[in-house]
Amino acid sequence: MQHVQLGRSDLRVTPICLGTMTFGQQVDEALAHSLLDQAIGRGINFIDTAEMYAVPARRETYGATERIIGTWLASRPGMRQKIVLATKVAGPARGMDWIRNGSPDLSPADIAQACDDSLKRLQTEVIDLYQIHWPNRNAPMFGGLYFDPKHDKPQTSIHDQLDAFGKLVKAGKVRHIGLSNETPWGVAEFVRLAEQHGLPRVVTVQNPYALTSRALDNGLDETLYRYGVSLLAYSPLAFGALTGKYDASGFTGPAEKGRLAAFESSRKQRWGRPEALEAARLYNALAKAHGLTPTQLALAFCYRSRRVASTIIGVTNSQQLVENLDAWDVQLSPELLAEIDAIRWKHRDPAQ
């Protein structure tokens, strides 16, 4: 697979990125190292993580994923130069009082300290892509559908956030910056202020994109295209709902099935909605009717989308990694894409 350019940066990555939020919770350190080696061996050069991982977020596992990647890099001399490494600073508190004492704001000092802490855990001198995990303002995210201005409150401005990132870039600690879980207005404002004040311009937005969560197709896709910002698509398998493994049992069963079965907190999120499972079953049946596995259909939809620069896959074992990477070779016909859109017309983004 050919490498793609992220935004207007000099970062060139594989169109498949290994997401790591299972490392430190569902995946122990030894297995995580093995999966990283396997991904690199298959040609992947793009690794994504975050300070708040592992997931589900817990006090006990805060920073665990970055530490695991750090020990992997430290034990493999020369590896750091072979990969593009992305991580994220957590936004304002979402019930996680162990991150910056549950601060409702993300200040410039917070950004600087979080970066230093991530660098230490990752055992590296520079982060290639440093992202804001979720907006530092009142905005719909993580399943929220509507913007409500009554929830606005004083918080560090976008300009001041960009200025803080600019200092990190000048210090050589960060190469490029990105956003995550953003809205069209947020992307436009970050770009506008960066260009107006000569501050770092965002090169990526990491947002959900899956057959059951395509809100991006209705506004944010145009924003990203016209501003030259690349999409990193996360949760392409909808937390496993688009693999077919929950079709018969629903989001229950042994924990080995996956996050939705293992963690009640995951079932309470958008991916665990009954409507999301209903739609997933339709897409999974469509895949089988066309001689594909549900995983192949869901991933090929993202892999081949003009909207997506790189699709972030998450795995808990070697077999899943092989299946996800092998799905790169799957092509979807125009007729099959039309059938996908027909399902969406009736079941519009239930996991938004």
Side-chain angles (χ1 to χ4, degrees):
M1 60 186 75
Q2 294 183 344
H3 290 186
V4 297
Q5 179 181 349
L6 293 184
R8 299 178 182 176
S9 76
D10 59 353
L11 296 177
R12 297 193 63 82
V13 303
T14 44
I16 302 176
C17 171
L18 182 63
T20 59
M21 71 180 185
T22 60
F23 295 0
Q25 176 66 51
Q26 294 172 273
V27 176
D28 64 23
E29 184 171 25
L31 178 55
H33 285 192
S34 176
L35 292 171
L36 286 162
D37 288 339
Q38 186 177 1
I40 298 301
R42 287 288 300 268
I44 301 303
N45 79 332
F46 194 14
I47 309 297
D48 179 72
T49 187
E51 68 163 323
M52 65 161 276
Y53 291 168
V55 169
R58 296 188 300 127
R59 186 187 309 274
E60 295 79 9
T61 57
Y62 169 63
T65 306
E66 287 187 330
R67 283 191 288 271
I68 287 172
I69 294 172
T71 58
W72 175 70
L73 288 172
S75 63
R76 288 152 177 78
M79 182 62 72
R80 180 65 187 90
Q81 290 69 42
K82 298 179 181 179
I83 66 168
V84 174
L85 181 60
T87 192
K88 313 177 199 73
V89 54
R94 298 180 62 249
M96 294 178 284
D97 61 4
W98 57 89
I99 302 179
R100 291 178 279 284
N101 297 314
S103 172
D105 192 18
L106 180 64
S107 71
D110 292 334
I111 293 171
Q113 186 62 57
C115 180
D116 285 343
D117 292 344
S118 286
L119 288 169
K120 183 177 180 180
R121 286 189 291 264
L122 291 165
Q123 300 193 49
T124 188
E125 296 180 351
V126 62
I127 295 165
D128 297 312
L129 178 64
Y130 199 36
Q131 306 153 98
I132 300 176
H133 208 149
W134 56 88
N136 187 52
R137 65 179 192 279
N138 168 38
M141 65 187 94
F142 297 115
L145 298 180
Y146 305 111
F147 168 69
D148 188 344
K150 73 181 181 184
H151 296 304
D152 280 355
K153 57 188 175 184
Q155 289 177 293
T156 297
S157 68
I158 289 177
H159 175 269
D160 287 346
Q161 294 170 67
L162 280 171
D163 188 63
F165 279 106
K167 289 181 171 64
L168 294 175
V169 172
K170 287 182 179 179
K173 297 179 180 181
V174 168
R175 293 180 63 196
H176 297 283
I177 68 168
L179 305 172
S180 187
N181 299 295
E182 258 299 355
T183 68
W185 181 87
V187 175
E189 190 68 355
F190 267 93
V191 171
R192 181 184 74 84
L193 290 169
E195 293 180 343
Q196 179 179 340
H197 297 282
L199 295 168
R201 195 181 193 277
V202 296
V203 301
T204 57
V205 170
Q206 183 177 148
N207 270 33
Y209 195 63
L211 290 171
T212 54
S213 186
R214 291 173 56 186
L216 180 136
D217 287 346
N218 300 106
L220 183 55
D221 57 344
E222 180 186 6
T223 302
L224 298 180
Y225 174 79
R226 299 201 183 280
Y227 283 114
V229 177
S230 293
L231 172 65
L232 308 180
Y234 79 73
S235 293
L237 295 176
F239 268 42
L242 291 169
T243 68
K245 64 184 174 183
Y246 297 112
D247 282 0
S249 65
F251 296 138
T252 58
E256 296 77 37
K257 263 195 171 183
R259 282 168 287 182
L260 288 169
F263 306 112
E264 183 180 4
S265 60
S266 295
R267 291 193 294 275
K268 290 181 178 179
Q269 297 177 31
R270 54 193 152 159
W271 309 107
R273 293 171 182 158
E275 299 86 353
L277 179 58
E278 180 184 1
R281 284 169 170 155
L282 294 175
Y283 290 115
N284 297 341
L286 178 64
K288 294 172 184 176
H290 284 265
L292 301 172
T293 67
T295 297
Q296 287 175 324
L297 177 69
L299 289 178
F301 176 78
C302 290
Y303 290 167
R304 300 303 172 189
S305 172
R306 63 166 179 79
R307 297 168 174 85
V308 179
S310 190
T311 301
I312 302 173
I313 59 170
V315 301
T316 57
N317 59 60
S318 176
Q319 292 75 19
Q320 289 177 352
L321 181 58
V322 169
E323 182 179 16
N324 289 0
L325 296 179
D326 286 351
W328 175 256
D329 295 325
V330 175
Q331 300 284 345
L332 304 182
S333 69
E335 293 76 17
L336 179 49
L337 290 171
E339 291 186 68
I340 287 172
D341 279 347
I343 294 176
R344 188 193 181 216
W345 187 254
K346 295 181 179 180
H347 300 266
R348 187 65 61 92
D349 304 327
Q352 178 181 342

